Amino acid sequence: MLRGSHRNCYKRARGQSSLRETFTKMPKASDNLWDIALAEVQKKENVDGKEDGDGVEIWERSVFFVGNKNGGKTTIILRCLDRDEPPKPTLALEYTFGRRAKGHNTPKDIAHFWELGGGISLLDLIRIPITLDSIRSFSVVLVLDLSKPSNLWSAMESLLQVTKNHVNKVIIDMGKKNSKIANEIKQKMWKSMQKDHPDRELIDPFPIPLVIIGSKYDIFQDFDSEKRKVICKTLRFVAHYYGASLMFTSKSEVHMLKTRALINHLAFGLEKSKSLSVDINKPLFIPAGLDSLSQIGSPSTSERDIGQIHARTPIELWKKMYERTFPPKNISDLKEVKDPARDPQYAENEVDMMRAQKDQELEQYTRNASKSWKGMELDVSGR
């Protein structure tokens, strides 16, 4: 599964000389394929330090996109980077980058964009981009497909839980090496929440900056108003509980401009918008820390319904109430996961010819082994 994805990452990195200054790590025996590819770029281009040819310091941030399969993650990334090209399906873990110069002879910013394909089928790959080296400047963008509300909670729950567990593990490892930095990361997420906010003791902020984007708003806006209300209130609660920003978007230029501004805040540290929209008849836009449980309200208008639900946590209560309106479908993201080794966008003559040869050898070995076993069975039966 990783072969095509990592090879694609390497080809991109090799063809973009502007990324030379970011590759400073020499390969070790424990390095994975991605680490080795980066080290190879460094060796071939004789890179030293973290400065470009003009000796200008470069600032870097990483943004990791996860979410529903075919939910629009690639489209958002391309539009944010002003790349006019049709989006291709993300098969595993994709990497690209954006670069922004603030002015003449001033620090240059680089943003590393990672995208996890396959919905929830490739959760193990989350550990690759989130490391001790990147954690201090790392952000997560969760893209949820509003047009498929029955698949929304399961994807959101799985992706957030696995990502959060891994981030916490990295922070613990960081604490063993540098407790000061680990504490800085832990305290950073409380900055968006005012000290006198009434919900400060009731929420559990995500360990690193998190943005939740509801995509395909153009389809969602035609839903029944009660269904839209349930989705909006539920996502508002989840975003507020995790100290995340929340926004709805579509492919329209107006919506994409707001999306791009929010992503640029994560990627390049640009000033974030202070606008606020909580009207269910309009796309939601709620920066982290600007919502409240009192404004969101309860997950159901009926106190009797809430009393019939047995839940141990607020998140569990909202989940059960949400799934009453949108029962989860038994459709797994694990189905129809394509083999990137056979995808034409990752074609490489020499590698593919060798792969075909090995496939033929394996097939021949299987046939020979099968004949041997049949022969042994005949010998046994003849005794």
Side-chain angles (χ1 to χ4, degrees), residues 46-62:
N46 297 317
V47 179
D48 290 311
K50 276 197 171 185
E51 295 184 344
D52 64 8
D54 300 322
V56 177
E57 188 179 2
I58 296 171
W59 295 84
E60 302 176 26
R61 292 180 176 85
S62 298

Side-chain angles (χ1 to χ4, degrees), residues 113-154:
F113 291 91
W114 296 86
E115 180 187 356
L116 181 70
I120 62 173
S121 64
L122 301 170
L123 291 175
D124 287 347
L125 300 185
I126 283 176
R127 61 184 174 80
I128 294 177
I130 307 176
T131 65
L132 286 171
D133 294 331
S134 65
I135 191 67
R136 294 184 69 183
S137 58
F138 208 94
S139 303
V140 174
V141 177
L142 173 63
V143 181
L144 299 172
D145 188 345
L146 296 175
S147 70
K148 299 177 180 178
S150 294
N151 298 335
L152 188 148
W153 187 281
S154 59

Side-chain angles (χ1 to χ4, degrees), residues 72-333:
K73 300 183 293 296
T74 305
T75 299
I76 292 174
I77 293 173
L78 292 175
R79 293 291 294 274
C80 288
L81 294 176
D82 279 333
R83 294 186 184 172
D84 186 17
E85 57 187 82
K88 296 179 181 179
T90 305
L91 298 178
L93 184 65
E94 290 281 350
Y95 168 82
T96 188
F97 72 98
R99 185 176 175 124
R100 180 178 179 274
K102 296 180 180 179
H104 179 66
N105 202 34
T106 57
K108 298 179 181 179
D109 293 340
I110 288 180
H112 305 282
F113 291 91
W114 296 86
E115 180 187 356
L116 181 70
I120 62 173
S121 64
L122 301 170
L123 291 175
D124 287 347
L125 300 185
I126 283 176
R127 61 184 174 80
I128 294 177
I130 307 176
T131 65
L132 286 171
D133 294 331
S134 65
I135 191 67
R136 294 184 69 183
S137 58
F138 208 94
S139 303
V140 174
V141 177
L142 173 63
V143 181
L144 299 172
D145 188 345
L146 296 175
S147 70
K148 299 177 180 178
S150 294
N151 298 335
L152 188 148
W153 187 281
S154 59
M156 175 175 64
E157 183 178 47
S158 299
L159 289 164
L160 287 182
Q161 192 59 55
V162 173
T163 306
K164 184 179 181 181
N165 289 344
H166 179 67
V167 170
N168 284 332
K169 180 181 179 299
V170 173
I171 293 175
I172 290 172
D173 292 340
M174 174 66 77
K176 295 175 182 177
K177 294 185 176 181
N178 192 322
S179 59
K180 182 179 178 181
I181 293 178
N183 288 330
E184 285 178 359
I185 295 172
K186 293 176 183 178
Q187 294 301 318
K188 185 178 179 181
M189 283 318 300
W190 288 101
K191 289 184 178 179
S192 62
M193 181 70 64
Q194 296 177 358
K195 292 184 179 180
D196 59 348
H197 195 290
D199 303 334
R200 192 173 176 86
E201 301 299 323
L202 303 174
I203 67 171
D204 182 20
F206 206 72
I208 55 178
L210 171 66
V211 170
I212 299 176
I213 296 179
S215 64
K216 302 184 182 180
Y217 176 79
D218 51 327
I219 300 174
F220 170 80
Q221 65 182 347
D222 294 328
F223 284 10
D224 174 78
S225 61
E226 284 302 312
K227 290 184 177 180
R228 282 189 283 116
K229 183 178 179 181
V230 171
I231 296 172
C232 288
K233 290 182 67 174
T234 301
L235 290 182
R236 282 181 66 183
F237 171 79
V238 173
H240 183 58
Y241 182 80
Y242 284 117
S245 296
L246 173 67
M247 73 171 301
F248 288 177
T249 191
S250 70
K251 291 182 179 180
S252 80
E253 195 62 33
V254 175
H255 294 164
M256 273 297 170
L257 282 173
K258 282 193 171 183
T259 307
R260 180 176 175 177
L262 187 56
I263 300 302
N264 279 339
H265 167 67
L266 299 177
F268 300 110
L270 301 185
E271 186 176 354
K272 62 180 178 181
S273 173
K274 295 181 181 179
S275 63
L276 181 70
S277 174
V278 296
D279 186 347
I280 67 167
N281 297 310
K282 298 178 181 179
L284 295 184
F285 189 91
I286 310 172
L290 296 187
D291 213 342
S292 69
L293 295 176
S294 61
Q295 292 175 1
I296 297 169
S298 65
S300 171
T301 54
S302 170
E303 292 185 5
R304 180 182 176 184
D305 288 344
I306 296 178
Q308 294 175 347
I309 298 293
H310 298 287
R312 294 168 295 177
T313 64
I315 283 285
E316 187 178 351
L317 174 63
W318 279 84
K319 174 184 178 180
K320 290 185 176 182
M321 295 304 298
Y322 180 85
E323 291 182 344
R324 278 194 168 192
T325 306
F326 301 105
K329 292 184 178 179
N330 295 320
I331 299 177
S332 174
D333 279 332

Side-chain angles (χ1 to χ4, degrees), residues 26 28 32 41 62-64 79 160 242 258 364 367 382:
M26 296 302 292
K28 301 190 294 288
N32 57 36
V41 173
S62 298
V63 185
F64 187 27
R79 293 291 294 274
L160 287 182
Y242 284 117
K258 282 193 171 183
Q364 184 63 43
R367 285 200 298 265

